[in-house]
Amino acid sequence: MFKNFNKISKKWQKIWEKEGIYKNYKKPKKFYVLDMFPYPSGEGLHVGHPRGYIATDLIARYKQMQGYSVLHPMGWDAFGLPAENYALKHKIHPKIAVSKNIKRFKEQLNKFGFTYDWDREINTTDPEYYKWTQWIFLKLFENGLVYESFEPIIWCPSCKTGLALEDLEDGKCERCGSEVEKKPLRQWVLKMTAYAEKLLKGLEELDWPESIKEQQKNWIGKSQGAEIEFRILNSKFKINVFTTRLDTIFGCTYLVVAPEHELVSSIKHQVSNWPEVEKYIKQAKKKTDLQRTGLTKDKTGVELKSIKAINPFNNEEVPIFVADYVLPHYGTGAVMAVPAHDERDYEFATKYNLPIRQVILSQINPDFNADLRGKKINKAFTEDGILVDSGKFTGMTSEKARQEMIKWLEKNKLGSRKINYKMRDWVFARQRYWGEPFPLVFCENCAKRIKNKKYKKGEFTKGELLNPGWIQIQEKDLPVKLPEVKYYEPSGTGESPLTNISKWVNTECPKCGGLAKRETNTMPQWAGSNWYYVAYLIKKNKKYQWDKKEIKKWLPVDLYVGGVEHATRHLLYARFWHKFLYDIKAVPVNEPFKKLMNQGLILAEDGRKMSKRWGNVINPDDMIRIFGADALRLYEMFMGPFDQSIAWSSDGIRGMKRFLDRIYKLVSGVRYQVSGNKNEKIERLLHQTIKKVTEDIENFRFNTAISSLMILFNDIEKNLQTYKLTNLQTFLKLLAPFAPHLTEEIWRNVLGNKKSIHLESWPKYNPKLIEEEKFEMIVQVNGKVRDRVSAPSGISQKEAENIALSSEKIKKLIAGLKIKKIIFVPNRLINIVISQS
């Protein structure tokens, strides 16, 4: 039995650190493998957390044995709501809480024997780190990609801060689960929509799970269509409407505008039922976007009475409704309603008894559809088809009509071709203490000069002109440090706790030298994680320097591993920042993460998510203490397909411990006695295993790789005297990335090798030996040889029967006859006995 495994693990971890075997970056081929760095919560790790970390460590060891310079760093995403909420709950300062929690996390991670280069460890709350977070923000600002907004935002009353749309899950705060509301607040917003097309196109070149790419595509939500101008009857006003189904415009029977649409307030004196409309608008403003647009939500609205819009294609007057299911930020905040060809419009029109006019017929059965014309329509027909009752466009296909209609709009200057994106700009400010300070001050004097245009050309940046009065801190004065405070509780008023620190707030304008005030909002928790993969590359001696040579050496990240929950948050934000950095030539490649893999959850033995609430959390410290780090590593990789969720099994980890015990017992018992002669069968199995394990590691099929190693070891146990020492060494090398401590102990202490097994070369298979061994199988019918076929050695009788009965010669001989029995002699012949009648 492999005893004192924890003592042995600690021993080798110290030796690896001393020898620096994971810090050899001089090899010409590079491989950058990265974990999504954790935010250090107070609870520490449970056994589900390390699943991805074990996989990246396994890959790092494997790639190093293949001759790569491997970078495998780790750090801490420590700013933001999770850390601050934890600190508030435990009544300690976030800085103290973060430091304590990082120490606990690091202590736990080190027990696994991971290949992390701790010299490159990062912490997003380190001023030396967030100096560069602030620098990137300044670059975004000076390039006109940041603007101040006063529109209503999503507000979490529990966390007492504004949130981005991406911070919601099922319409609730992702962090605390509270119902959110709308609240007008001054905010900083990043112009993420400026990169919508680049973000979309970039997905094509990424080796990511299709489901993640699809989520990002849907979030960006590209729509190609047309923008149409509807004039308001007897008014100077007009409504611009975006649609992807211009071919249905002759079926438009009303328009719908968002409650926030500027037209509504502009023409309110002409609206005969204004009190009713005003009441509806007030109610709508209390709802979140999700509450307004839910598929199961009953569609409501109110007509703007006395107001009509003119359809530019047929000059028909159509009523206008205000309805909360239309959002102000998507398209133009107004839609044309075609109830015969849109399910939502059909539902609304049916409810309010509005006209439903069919103008598209099915191409599959146009005669059937024609019979329905003039009759009551029971369902919206939403597919493309043939146009009817559509003026000169009648008879055209939907696709052709859309093109011709756009030409008509552009010719008559009533609209144009348009592309819209569902994705919104990114609300980037938080009204909390624990976050990166913005490197901006507000100067009244500079605001007046900009508004009165009393400044020299080039004196102000694009961002300063876009946001009059807001002045950038000079790069030489970065970082703007977060002030030390005793009380940091959120105010709940929409103002940051930093507002009350007058010594910090009141400062000098870096532009004119006059009085200025610092921005008191802080950046969201996503800010530091947007570029952390670059930070690992530029950290030297606890300082950071934007070293383009080092960045070029390592980017892009070759393998990125983390949870699927970050698909439309971190992964989208990081790609946005990276593409901007690429545009300003700060990074050499236009995508940060070449390959992405997502790990499935490890559930508790009861099938539920591990949670303190359920009392079903399994601590990895306990598993390592009882079974050892290698057994835990091996089990987590063996328990099922890497990307799928699976329940924990205590029996499973015990089985892995027994497997490792068998290996140690066998090898320590034979030592150098293993010196058998060359055996083709053994060589064949060995090389088939090398191929299988190599391919499985490359494709994240760790469970089947381990199965192959078990099959090989079972054969070693049964035929020990026929295995050579080199065969056994090959087995250990294949096992090394999975069980690094045990294999190192055997390699150096039992077999007497001086160099670490992890610095050995990865085994290569002989293509000739992986071919399946075959024999010539004689096929008899009633004892007479009727055919000879090639078959794999060791096949079962059932497999032999399938091969024999597939032979064309045999099929003809036994056609229509009854098989009485089949006699099989393994690896030699098969005899089919048939009745003669």
Side-chain angles (χ1 to χ4, degrees), residues 220-235:
I220 295 166
K222 182 178 181 178
S223 298
Q224 299 189 60
E227 192 168 293
I228 314 153
E229 183 182 294
F230 283 76
R231 289 186 299 106
I232 305 300
L233 185 66
N234 301 322
S235 170

Side-chain angles (χ1 to χ4, degrees), residues 557-681:
V557 174
D558 295 284
L559 174 64
Y560 197 27
V561 176
V564 294
E565 67 274 15
H566 297 295
T568 55
R569 283 178 284 198
H570 161 64
L571 287 170
L572 204 54
Y573 294 153
R575 291 184 63 227
F576 162 46
W577 273 36
H578 186 92
K579 286 184 177 295
F580 168 72
L581 290 172
Y582 177 73
D583 285 348
I584 65 169
K585 295 180 170 54
V587 295
V589 292
N590 65 5
E591 284 288 347
F593 314 120
K594 188 176 178 181
K595 182 181 176 70
L596 173 73
M597 288 298 295
N598 303 123
Q599 77 271 20
L601 294 173
I602 294 181
L603 306 171
E605 289 194 84
D606 58 14
R608 292 186 292 186
K609 283 184 73 172
M610 290 190 194
S611 169
K612 285 179 72 177
R613 177 186 174 190
W614 305 117
N616 59 5
V617 173
I618 300 168
N619 191 321
D621 296 8
D622 296 335
M623 296 298 100
I624 290 172
R625 177 175 51 79
I626 298 167
F627 302 107
D630 284 348
L632 180 55
R633 289 171 62 109
L634 207 59
Y635 173 59
E636 293 213 6
M637 294 299 95
F638 181 69
M639 62 194 307
F642 181 72
D643 61 348
Q644 294 179 22
S645 296
I646 193 163
W648 179 266
S649 167
S650 297
D651 288 339
I653 192 170
R654 288 190 189 97
M656 284 302 149
K657 176 65 171 64
R658 287 194 295 269
F659 175 57
L660 294 174
D661 285 344
R662 284 166 54 205
I663 295 169
Y664 186 75
K665 181 180 178 182
L666 181 140
V667 182
S668 59
V670 296
R671 285 208 170 197
Y672 296 100
Q673 295 170 25
V674 183
S675 57
N677 296 320
K678 188 172 182 180
N679 181 302
E680 190 173 338
K681 184 182 176 183

Side-chain angles (χ1 to χ4, degrees), residues 401-416:
R402 284 193 284 269
Q403 301 308 315
E404 293 301 318
M405 287 174 164
I406 288 174
K407 289 178 186 176
W408 185 89
L409 281 173
E410 291 176 339
K411 182 181 177 181
N412 292 280
K413 297 182 179 179
L414 292 168
S416 62

Side-chain angles (χ1 to χ4, degrees), residues 8 95-97 100 137 154 191 215 248 251 263 271 351 364 406 423 449 459 469 474 548 602 605 622 639 720 779 802:
I8 288 169
K95 188 175 181 179
I96 297 169
K100 177 186 172 186
F137 175 83
I154 301 165
K191 219 170 185 178
Q215 283 186 63
T248 66
L263 172 79
V271 179
K351 179 176 179 178
I364 299 170
I406 288 174
M423 181 175 72
R449 289 170 60 213
E459 184 180 355
Q474 294 180 25
K548 289 189 178 181
I602 294 181
E605 289 194 84
D622 296 335
M639 62 194 307
L720 184 59
V779 183
N802 290 336

